[in-house]
Amino acid sequence: METRSMLAQAMELPKRKLTGTERLSEMERWDSMAMLNFMALVDAHYGVTLSPDHLVQCESVAEVEALVEETRNGNHAGVHSVD
Amino acid sequence: MRACIRSIEYHLPELVLSSARLAEDFPDWPAEKIEAKTGIRERRIAGEGECSSDLAVAAARKLFAGGACAPETIDYVLLCTQTPDYFLPTTACLVQERLGIPTSAGALDFNLGCSGYVYGLSLAQGLIETGQARHVLLLTAETYSKFIDPRDKNVRTIFGDAAAATLVEGVEDGPPRGPTWIGPFIFGTDGAGAANLRVESGGMRCRGAGSPHLHMNGPKIFEFTLRAVPQCVGELLKKSQKSAGEIDRFIFHQANEFMLDHLRKKIGVPLERFSLAMRHCGNTVSASIPIAMKEDRDAGKFLPSDLAMLVGFGVGYSWAATLVRWP
């Protein structure tokens, strides 16, 4: 599942509703519950835990996608799962 | 002397806060959504004048009425709460008097949240196995509802009030020494997370200032849990030289179903060996693990021969895990 699909699922939106240009701060559905959902999806899918401090700073879908990539590559302060 | 869990009972206050009632206050969260996310249908809320000691006394009376032991035999009371009746005196002292526990008994409160039950078992075992006490009454009692802002759906949908009473008893053994009923333990503490689950007002640092309400940063707590719990489980298995397959029952702090379901899958525990016991009472902080143990025992899911892993985690941050048998 790609990051944008996970974001849409976390916010309970159809995937096609997210174009990638939205300002997350202007989306009512981007609340703490949606962030939790998104963190859980990313953890389950990629085995990495996003930093909530960095996630909350993301202004756009593209920035969230970049954060996920950076965390997966170990270039961010995200925490890798201990399995 | 070996410490052993002899009996567990719990008490919930009468007032019910249903998900349907919460949905009236939070129209964008229908009852079905609240239940699906939290796994909670009802929370119990302490009355205006109903305090932690009242819930603890009711739970303990149920334990005595069940024949576990008489109040006169208790020689130590450990009471875990973050919502004491007073700053002072100690809530355990109030409970000693109301239950008719002898004045020769020791009694103390300790302030921990969701990890409190596992820490309490550790303290009880220490008292018993060093010969300082023989019948320890471990009480975990919380009324978090008194801290909750009614407009805060993130915490109001999750927390419920409750108390649990556990009799931890010394059993003669050896030589050679018999089986261990409780332990080993893994502990963890990280005060760097203090601000993520906190009530500021009322303590000395923020007297007359700060928020009187429970503040919870959900994403930060989730991040902590994803980091700490799987690691803690792994460390306990290593320390006890057990494999996950040898654990009959996994009883975690009943935070909420969303979090527990994710942790369960991440750690790889089959659903049939994983305890979920919050639908009728919510997240009851330090009472959640003994409530789940009792519910599982009554439902035939936690047998006297079973080995259970208990994991508590939350406010502090604080966490702890142990293995127990409840014969």
Side-chain angles (χ1 to χ4, degrees):
Chain A
M1 192 192 295
E2 59 176 11
T3 298
R4 196 174 302 179
S5 299
M6 288 191 258
L7 257 182
Q9 190 176 325
M11 287 189 271
E12 298 176 354
L13 290 170
K15 183 191 168 189
R16 59 186 162 73
K17 287 251 181 180
L18 273 189
T19 63
T21 57
E22 294 86 353
R23 307 300 297 169
L24 287 172
S25 54
E26 292 167 8
M27 297 185 77
E28 259 184 49
R29 285 174 180 259
W30 187 237
D31 58 10
S32 66
M33 180 55 85
M35 284 186 204
L36 283 178
N37 288 338
F38 183 65
M39 288 172 67
L41 286 167
V42 170
D43 184 57
H45 205 70
Y46 296 128
V48 294
T49 306
L50 296 177
S51 156
D53 289 338
H54 292 127
L55 185 58
V56 82
Q57 285 167 13
C58 290
E59 293 277 340
S60 66
V61 173
E63 284 181 30
V64 173
E65 288 173 329
L67 173 65
V68 171
E69 281 311 301
E70 286 171 17
T71 307
R72 286 181 67 194
N73 294 330
N75 298 330
H76 227 296
V79 179
H80 283 268
S81 299
V82 181
D83 287 318
Chain B
M1 190 80 73
R2 288 289 199 195
C4 173
I5 294 172
R6 181 61 70 200
S7 183
I8 298 174
E9 294 287 353
Y10 70 90
H11 174 77
L12 304 177
E14 273 187 31
L15 183 65
V16 174
L17 178 59
S18 67
S19 295
R21 172 68 191 80
L22 285 170
E24 291 173 14
D25 288 356
F26 308 117
D28 53 331
W29 278 22
E32 302 75 38
K33 180 176 175 178
I34 295 173
E35 281 185 43
K37 282 290 173 198
T38 63
I40 300 163
R41 180 167 298 161
E42 292 181 355
R43 309 114 194 102
R44 298 297 190 93
I45 306 297
E48 186 75 19
E50 195 172 24
C51 292
S52 292
S53 74
D54 302 311
L55 304 184
V57 163
R61 284 191 175 136
K62 209 178 278 187
L63 187 133
F64 296 136
C69 73
E72 295 78 22
T73 63
I74 299 295
D75 50 13
Y76 218 105
V77 180
L78 294 172
L79 191 146
C80 177
T81 190
Q82 298 191 306
T83 51
D85 293 29
Y86 305 104
F87 277 128
L88 57 123
T90 309
T91 310
C93 297
L94 308 176
V95 167
Q96 171 273 329
E97 192 271 335
R98 288 174 64 187
L99 289 173
I101 289 169
T103 55
S104 55
L108 61 88
D109 287 1
F110 62 103
N111 179 326
L112 281 173
C114 308
S115 64
Y117 186 70
V118 180
Y119 277 90
L121 287 180
S122 161
L123 295 171
Q125 183 189 43
L127 289 166
I128 289 168
E129 298 193 4
T130 54
Q132 297 178 72
R134 180 88 188 242
H135 297 92
V136 177
L137 180 62
L138 170 60
L139 300 165
T140 49
E142 285 298 355
T143 56
Y144 261 35
S145 68
K146 296 180 192 297
F147 287 142
I148 288 175
D149 181 344
R151 297 163 298 181
D152 186 346
K153 63 184 175 189
N154 290 321
V155 290
R156 195 164 168 229
T157 50
I158 290 175
F159 290 102
D161 300 332
T166 302
L167 176 63
V168 187
E169 194 174 72
V171 177
E172 295 286 357
D173 82 335
R177 298 207 75 176
T180 303
W181 307 102
I182 302 171
F185 285 88
I186 297 291
F187 301 114
T189 308
D190 183 3
N196 297 322
L197 195 46
R198 181 162 76 181
V199 178
E200 291 179 341
S201 182
M204 296 305 117
R205 185 162 298 280
C206 299
R207 278 181 98 175
S211 169
H213 294 128
L214 178 69
H215 162 75
M216 181 175 77
N217 183 330
K220 294 286 279 186
I221 296 293
F222 190 50
E223 178 197 35
F224 149 70
T225 305
L226 291 180
R227 184 179 65 238
V229 175
Q231 190 169 339
C232 184
V233 169
E235 287 172 5
L236 181 58
L237 290 174
K238 190 175 175 190
K239 190 171 184 178
S240 61
Q241 298 182 300
K242 300 275 185 198
S243 69
E246 293 174 89
I247 309 300
D248 301 298
R249 199 83 193 140
F250 289 82
I251 305 178
F252 287 14
H253 161 57
Q254 303 287 294
N256 62 73
E257 197 165 310
F258 168 81
M259 189 181 279
L260 287 194
D261 195 49
H262 188 76
L263 283 172
R264 180 184 67 76
K265 289 173 183 162
K266 188 176 174 67
I267 297 166
V269 179
L271 182 59
E272 60 272 18
R273 286 196 278 141
F274 194 79
S275 185
L276 289 172
M278 68 197 106
R279 189 159 296 274
H280 68 304
C281 61
N283 173 340
T284 56
V285 195
S286 57
S288 83
I289 290 176
I291 288 174
M293 292 168 75
K294 171 70 174 160
E295 287 290 304
D296 281 359
R297 170 57 56 92
D298 289 351
K301 295 176 182 172
F302 180 18
L303 304 174
S305 58
D306 281 350
L307 182 64
M309 178 184 287
L310 313 183
V311 187
F313 50 89
V315 55
Y317 303 135
S318 169
W319 62 98
T322 191
L323 299 181
V324 299
R325 291 184 199 276
W326 177 13

